[in-house]
Amino acid sequence: MLERNRNKEATATIAEISAQYDRVALVFQGGGALGAYQAGVYQALAEAGCEPSWLSGVSIGAINAAIIAGNESSRRLQRLEQFWQTISGRKIWAYTPEGDIYRDIRNRTSSWMTMVMGQPGFFKPRNPNPWMEQPGAEGATSFYDTAELKETLQSLIDFDILNDGKKRLSVGAVNVRTGNFVYFDTDKVRIEPEHIMASGALPPAFPSIRIEGEYYW
């Protein structure tokens, strides 16, 4: 009987296993390009019938989590793909020959273009350069402007759905004044684009974000 139960557990699907629990949480860490991998993980879970009830993330993970929580189930994967196609859609060149040396050149070129031009729908270099700004000016606090990210989030996320309580969302950020880590949670506050941007604010590249009189990154 014990062996039979073990075999049954071994063949149970992830959907059947997750259905045994009152809460299924999915946590996304930060890490830039790692976020593309996270999108694939969520796709695999969704296709297997496992739908988390609580999403949490920081930095790029907060963006992925918010896109999932802020859309109906039929649109989540589409919106995730749209986000990643938007920010990584710049063409480096039309064709990359086979071979490590060519891929390395392409990757280095892509990194250089990101540094100089930013990422579409995400951030762009400040003009004028922050070194040319007066001390204390907003433009002096970061090398890039993330206003485009706010527009992208607003276009991909329905914030009424995100805050309707059907899925819980928690995103982490640091209070600049106190240095304390804070989680913005839909069980406690209404999450808006600024909360997600605060989680993704990476000094000195990206500016801190003001929320209710406090600055976060």
Side-chain angles (χ1 to χ4, degrees):
M1 178 64 72
L2 181 59
E3 186 64 30
R4 186 180 302 169
N5 288 338
R6 285 176 177 170
N7 291 337
K8 184 177 180 180
E9 290 176 3
T11 58
T13 66
I14 189 170
E16 292 170 337
I17 294 172
S18 62
Q20 300 173 28
Y21 298 91
D22 295 331
R23 176 184 298 156
V24 176
L26 184 58
V27 180
F28 292 136
Q29 69 182 73
L34 180 63
Y37 170 80
Q38 295 171 357
V41 169
Y42 173 74
Q43 179 178 356
L45 290 172
E47 291 175 351
C50 177
E51 191 62 52
S53 55
W54 188 354
L55 294 133
S56 180
V58 294
S59 194
I60 195 66
I63 295 175
N64 280 334
I67 292 173
I68 296 168
N71 281 284
E72 298 290 354
S73 58
S74 60
R75 305 186 71 180
R76 288 169 189 152
L77 291 176
Q78 174 193 349
R79 292 301 199 189
L80 276 175
E81 181 178 358
Q82 188 175 345
F83 171 75
W84 285 99
Q85 290 290 350
T86 296
I87 68 170
S88 62
R90 180 189 292 124
K91 297 296 183 183
I92 307 304
W93 47 62
Y95 171 71
T96 302
E98 289 292 327
D100 290 343
I101 186 172
Y102 299 111
R103 282 190 289 270
D104 182 62
I105 293 172
R106 183 189 186 282
N107 290 341
R108 290 175 183 271
T109 303
S110 177
S111 297
W112 179 83
M113 291 179 69
T114 296
M115 182 175 66
V116 174
M117 302 170 62
Q119 287 291 109
F122 201 142
F123 61 90
K124 64 181 180 181
R126 287 196 180 277
N127 187 18
N129 186 282
W131 293 110
M132 305 297 292
E133 294 279 7
Q134 290 296 314
E138 181 181 355
T141 62
S142 67
F143 289 101
Y144 298 96
D145 181 356
T146 55
E148 289 186 13
L149 175 59
K150 183 174 182 178
E151 296 176 3
T152 298
L153 294 174
Q154 290 173 325
S155 70
L156 296 178
I157 298 171
D158 185 324
F159 284 88
D160 288 331
I161 292 177
L162 187 149
N163 290 284
D164 66 9
K166 294 180 180 178
K167 278 190 184 296
R168 186 174 179 179
L169 174 67
S170 306
V171 297
V174 173
N175 183 300
V176 175
R177 179 178 59 84
T178 66
N180 292 330
F181 197 81
V182 176
Y183 266 101
F184 300 110
D185 192 312
T186 52
D187 266 13
K188 300 176 181 178
V189 299
R190 179 178 173 86
I191 288 184
E192 299 288 357
E194 288 76 12
H195 297 90
I196 303 165
M197 294 173 67
S199 184
L202 179 67
F206 302 154
S208 58
I209 303 297
R210 186 175 182 177
I211 300 172
E212 296 182 355
E214 295 278 2
Y215 287 90
Y216 297 87
W217 55 28

